[in-house]
C-alpha cells in the first residue's frame, strides 16, 4: 500500500533535510542526523521521523543517481551494437560514481536501509548482466569475464581516479574515462579475421 502523501509543510521539511544532506555528501562530510536538523532549521525529531538512520538519508540522496543509471542501462539495452551499449553504460556509470559521492557508499553497503534502494540495485544489476550477456553472445567481450569480475574492476577505476584529492572534479572524470577505456580494451575480444 503506497504511503499517504505528505502535508505541504512536511514535504517542505523533508526536502530541506535532503538538500542539506546532499550538500554534506558533496563536501565529503559524514551525515549526522542532529547536524542535519540544525542546518535544515528543523527539529531533530522531524529528521528522525523522515529518516531513522543516516544510511536511510544517504540512500534517499543517492536514489535519483541510481534511477538515472538504470534508465541509461535500459536505453543501452535497446541499442544495435552490444559492445557500444556495454561500453557506453560502463562509462556513464563510472562518470556518475566519480561525480556523485552518494553512490559509492550506497553501492558498497552490505545491507540497505530502504527496501526501495534494494529494488533499484537489483534492477541495475539485472540490466548490467543483460548488457554483458549481449556483448558475450555477439562475440565482442571475452566470455571468461563475468559480471563478478567487472564490478570490482569498476570500483578500482573509480578509486584510482579519486585517490588524488588535490585533483579537480574534471581531472577525476578524465582519469576515470581513461582508466575505464584501458580496462575495456582488456575485456574486448580481438577482431576476427576474414
Amino acid at each position: 500500500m503506497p504511503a499517504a502523501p505528505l502535508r505541504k509543510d512536511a514535504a517542505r521539511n523533508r526536502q530541506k533535510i535532503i538538500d542539506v544532506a546532499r550538500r554534506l555528501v558533496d563536501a565529503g562530510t559524514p551525515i549526522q542526523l542532529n547536524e542535519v536538523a540544525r542546518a535544515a532549521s528543523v527539529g531533530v525529531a522531524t529528521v528522525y521521523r523522515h529518516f531513522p538512520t543516516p544510511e536511510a538519508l544517504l540512500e534517499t540522496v543517492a536514489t535519483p543517481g541510481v534511477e538515472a543509471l538504470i534508465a541509461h542501462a535500459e536505453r543501452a539495452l535497446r541499442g544495435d551494437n552490444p559492445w557500444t551499449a556495454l561500453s557506453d553504460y560502463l562509462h556513464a556509470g563510472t562518470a556518475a560514481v566519480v561525480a556523485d559521492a552518494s553512490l559509492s557508499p550506497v553501492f558498497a553497503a552490505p545491507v540497505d536501509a530502504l527496501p526501495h534502494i534494494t529494488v533499484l540495485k537489483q534492477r541495475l544489476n539485472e540490466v548490467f548482466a543483460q548488457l554483458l550477456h549481449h556483448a558475450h553472445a555477439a562475440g565482442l567481450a571475452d566470455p571468461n569475464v563475468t559480471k563478478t569480475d567487472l564490478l570490482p574492476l569498476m570500483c578500482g577505476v573509480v578509486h584510482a581516479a579519486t585517490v588524488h584529492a588535490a585533483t579537480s572534479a574534471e581531472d577525476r572524470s578524465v582519469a576515470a574515462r581513461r582508466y575505464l577505456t584501458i580496462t575495456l580494451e582488456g575485456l574486448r575480444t580481438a577482431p576476427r579475421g576474414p
Side-chain angles (χ1 to χ4, degrees), residues 28-182:
T29 304
I31 292 176
Q32 296 178 355
L33 297 183
N34 291 357
E35 178 59 27
V36 170
R38 187 197 62 71
S41 301
V42 298
V44 173
T46 299
V47 174
Y48 280 90
R49 195 168 30 258
H50 289 286
F51 306 102
T53 65
E55 293 78 15
L57 180 51
L58 178 65
E59 289 176 7
T60 301
V61 169
T63 293
V66 179
E67 290 172 339
L69 284 175
I70 292 168
H72 189 96
E74 289 173 341
R75 280 191 307 275
L77 270 177
R78 295 189 294 271
D80 294 335
N81 183 311
W83 177 257
T84 300
L86 176 64
S87 176
D88 286 352
Y89 166 71
L90 291 175
H91 277 288
T94 301
V97 174
V98 167
D100 184 345
S102 71
L103 292 175
S104 233
V106 167
F107 287 143
V111 177
D112 300 322
L114 302 174
H116 176 70
I117 207 76
T118 301
V119 170
L120 290 176
K121 287 165 66 175
Q122 288 170 345
R123 179 61 186 147
L124 188 60
N125 279 324
E126 290 166 4
V127 182
F128 173 48
Q130 290 174 325
L131 287 166
L132 182 58
H133 173 74
H134 290 175
H136 283 153
L140 299 170
D142 184 337
N144 297 312
V145 178
T146 66
K147 182 179 74 135
T148 306
D149 297 323
L150 277 179
L151 290 174
L153 286 173
M154 297 306 97
C155 292
V157 165
V158 170
H159 178 73
T162 57
V163 291
H164 303 291
T167 61
S168 70
E170 184 178 341
D171 291 340
R172 288 190 299 273
S173 179
V174 168
R177 187 161 192 77
R178 180 171 178 267
Y179 299 155
L180 181 58
T181 298
I182 293 166

